Structure formats: structure tokens, C-alpha cells
Amino acid sequence: MDYKQLEQLFSRHEREHPETHLTACITFASLDPEDGEKYPWNSWNGRTYAVSSDNDAFRPDKGGYSIYGSSLSRTIGPQTYLTPYISDEYDRKGGLVVEDCCIVGYLLIECSDCNISPPKLFYTRSDALECMLSRLAETGELDAEQIKKDFDAAKELFEEGHYGAKQDSAWMSDSSEGWHWKIQPACIYDPMNIRFPDQEGEQCPM
């Protein structure tokens, strides 16, 4: 996906669904061709940034025009002001050339000893997590709100008898059947090019 396609997709989404925001990874071309071969996009050496559609540049209700992003090579610290550096924004020479873009999504995969359900796609990890906990509660006929409160209190790992959950998975077992859920990150470049980072030896983008 090139930058102009991403820009159009972000703007359309913010115009039609302003209550939710998409996240994309933008990879800039290396200034040194040899570095580009040595450090591919998935080496997280500073060429790839996570950018939200919740930036003024993509929102029709904002008067300003700014784009901020977080380098995937840095887990903490302020976001970087990218607007003046993206050559596609001004069709000018000397800026950073966008090599590739992808939308980041999360698949919720559900299976039991005798059934595999169609995966559900979410565009935020929090939505996928909420659905996973709801399905855990529904399957076990448990109080969904209490499950979510217990999970929030436990932080990393919530476990209670025959069921439990972590940030990216959940499980339940009884005398007749076992259930499992997994949140699988997906990088969507186009309909025919979808990558699954942690299954391909790559670090998860978000």
C-alpha cells in the first residue's frame, strides 16, 4: 500500500467512523541503499513508525494539519512530528520517501476440542481483548463485567480454577471440552498481502 492510498483510507475512515481510529505502520526508505539491505523494515531500526488515523491531517473536524508517529524501535518517549519530513505530503525532493504502508489489525481466533470458529477482525487490540473476555464469560456462563474487572486487577495473568486469560490469549476447560482464544496481530498491506508478524519471526508492530 502506498502513502496516498493510506492517506485516503485514513481520511475516509475518520469521516465515516470518527468514533474509532485505525493504526498503520509506515516504513520509510533507507537513505543508504546498503542500510536498506542490512536493515529491512522488520528489523525495527527506526525506519518504521506507528501512526494513528486520529491525527489532525486525516480528521475533517480539525483545522490544523499535523502527523505524529511512534518509532517501533523506541518503546517509550514522545511521538515524533513527521509532517515536514514525509515527501509525499508536499511532493518535494529531500524528504523521507515512504517505502510501504500497512494497516494493523487483530484477529481473534477461537477454537475448542471439536470446533474452530471463523476468526473475527478488529482494528484495535483493546476491542479484540474485550471480545475475547466476553466470549470467555459467555462460554462459561460467567459474569462478563466481573471477569473484566478481575482481569484488569490481575494485569498480566488472570487465572481462576478452570479458566484464565492473558493479554493475548484465554482458555477454559471442563470435564467435556476445552476452549482456547488467541489474539493474532495482522499487518494488512492489501487484500492479497497479509502478514502475521509473530508467526514469521518478526516482532509484533503494536
Side-chain angles (χ1 to χ4, degrees):
M1 183 188 305
D2 62 34
Y3 181 77
K4 291 300 183 183
Q5 290 174 309
L6 176 66
E7 185 179 39
Q8 292 170 4
L9 193 156
F10 266 7
S11 297
R12 184 173 69 247
H13 179 85
E14 288 295 324
R15 185 171 60 253
E16 298 175 356
H17 307 284
E19 70 280 359
T20 62
H21 307 296
L22 300 179
T23 298
C25 284
I26 297 177
T27 300
F28 294 104
S30 175
L31 298 178
D32 186 332
E34 293 185 2
D35 283 348
E37 296 178 4
K38 183 178 180 182
Y39 301 110
W41 78 273
N42 57 8
S43 66
W44 317 106
N45 70 320
R47 293 203 297 130
T48 300
Y49 287 77
V51 175
S52 171
S53 63
D54 187 23
N55 267 289
D56 289 356
F58 312 117
R59 295 182 57 178
D61 60 334
K62 295 294 183 180
Y65 196 92
S66 59
I67 301 172
Y68 289 84
S70 298
S71 171
L72 298 189
S73 65
R74 188 181 67 238
T75 57
I76 59 174
Q79 290 192 320
T80 301
Y81 182 51
L82 297 173
T83 319
Y85 304 110
I86 303 176
S87 60
D88 293 80
E89 282 293 333
Y90 303 103
D91 294 322
R92 62 183 176 84
K93 295 181 179 180
L96 295 175
V97 176
V98 175
E99 180 179 292
D100 211 347
C101 305
C102 72
I103 296 294
V104 179
Y106 299 90
L107 290 171
L108 178 58
I109 302 169
E110 175 181 297
C111 65
S112 68
D113 294 340
C114 59
N115 180 59
I116 299 178
S117 301
K120 298 179 180 179
L121 178 64
F122 299 89
Y123 287 107
T124 66
R125 179 182 288 275
S126 59
D127 286 346
L129 177 59
E130 182 175 357
C131 183
M132 182 178 74
L133 296 177
S134 295
R135 287 292 300 136
L136 173 64
E138 182 181 344
T139 303
E141 298 182 348
L142 305 169
D143 185 330
E145 292 304 316
Q146 189 60 51
I147 286 285
K148 293 172 184 178
K149 288 179 181 179
D150 292 342
F151 179 83
D152 289 340
K155 302 297 184 184
E156 295 296 327
L157 172 63
F158 162 62
E159 195 165 12
E160 184 69 35
H162 64 285
Y163 59 88
K166 297 190 294 185
Q167 289 294 326
D168 60 357
S169 62
W171 64 94
M172 172 174 287
S173 61
D174 56 32
S175 58
S176 61
E177 195 171 15
W179 288 81
H180 298 275
W181 294 266
K182 176 179 173 58
I183 297 175
Q184 170 64 56
C187 292
I188 306 167
Y189 290 86
D190 61 53
M192 301 302 292
N193 184 8
I194 301 176
R195 302 178 191 173
F196 302 99
D198 60 357
Q199 291 186 356
E200 300 177 4
E202 301 172 0
Q203 182 179 343
C204 174
M206 295 295 292

